[in-house]
Amino acid sequence: MAQRTIVGIDVGTTKVCTIVAQVHDSGRVNVLGVGLTPSKGLDKGVVVNIDDAVNAIATSVEKAERLSGYRIGTAFVGVSGRHISSLNSRGVVAVSRADHEISRNDVARAVENAQTIAMPNQREIIHVIPRAYVVDGHEGIRDPIGMSGFRLEVETHIVTGEVMAIQNLIKSVQRAGVEIDDLVLQTLASGEAVLTPDDKDRGVVLVDIGGGTTDIAVFVEGGIWHTSVVPVGGNHFTNDIVVVLKTPHNTAEYLKLKYGAAIADEAVDPATDLIEAEGFAPGERQQISRSLLNQVLQARAEEVIEQIYNEIRRSGY
Ligand SMILES: Nc1ncnc2c1ncn2[C@@H]1O[C@H](COP(=O)(O)OP(=O)(O)OP(=O)(O)O)[C@@H](O)[C@H]1O
Ligand SMILES: [Mg+2]
């Protein structure tokens, strides 16, 4: 059976992940190798230091190459960050064939028409995703090719981003020796991975809480309706621990992962409330209260959830 090898790179705020996979004609995906490395040079999902980002990407790519035995030349690259925004736009065309059968060309023209949106010149389009078609006023058509009609409308979801943020990401990947097949909004890639067509039909919100950003996508009636990126993530939880409990950053991250809970009243026994952790000076130990730790985490968790909720409300659903 025919197969091809594709590569994906996720340049995240806390980690860079490169994945090499074989994709079979049937759609089956076989992962050949993964290269995971701590990220540098990123803040809230965008590149802020190209040299650091290049090093992290190159390390991740080399690891994936070593594990897969595949020489990486090109890759699909995920985009995220607060600069991402999205809107829904309609395109309309008259069906061109004399017999009024809708052709691939009509669909392409309608999608093209939907892209004539007013856009500030420091932004560019990343995706134009057809959600549904309307033929002579009949809504909710998923594939109009071959149908008959006079007027074809398309509802699209358009994702845009800042030119500079996108250029810095492209530059970093290219300097790490990899050409770009295409850029993919990270939430859409996550949606492909974890949602079933049924989920999208019934309506679903996808939330990816990362290190520096929380990516949100709302799917309605089988199509993408709203996408946005909120600049909060796991790093904020860690930073809160640093500030409130006065620990070094590494200790805070360790405490969060090992003892943290997002709901503080999950009864911590007073007898085991205090835990020992590393302090600032080498060899210094300090006592940390688990219930206090979890109160700090719960406060931040509530804020993050509220922001996610506001974003869902803002989407109009
Ligand atoms: N078990 C856990 N409990 C709580 N937080 C966790 C856990 N495991 C990882 N994290 C946190 O998740 C964050 C990393 O998530 P992820 O790997 O998705 O981020 P990223 O893709 O690098 O960043 P972004 O998508 O924001 O650019 C870190 O802040 C880490 O502390
Ligand atoms: Mg991520």
Side-chain angles (χ1 to χ4, degrees), residues 10-15 80 186 190 208-213 215:
D10 172 359
V11 187
T13 311
T14 66
K15 57 153 207 312
S80 182
Q186 273 176 22
S190 309
D208 172 2
I209 304 180
T213 64
D215 299 5

Side-chain angles (χ1 to χ4, degrees), residues 124-141:
E124 68 182 64
I125 291 179
I126 301 171
H127 291 292
V128 179
I129 306 153
R131 294 170 24 78
Y133 297 87
V134 183
V135 177
D136 292 347
H138 298 288
E139 304 223 355
I141 294 164

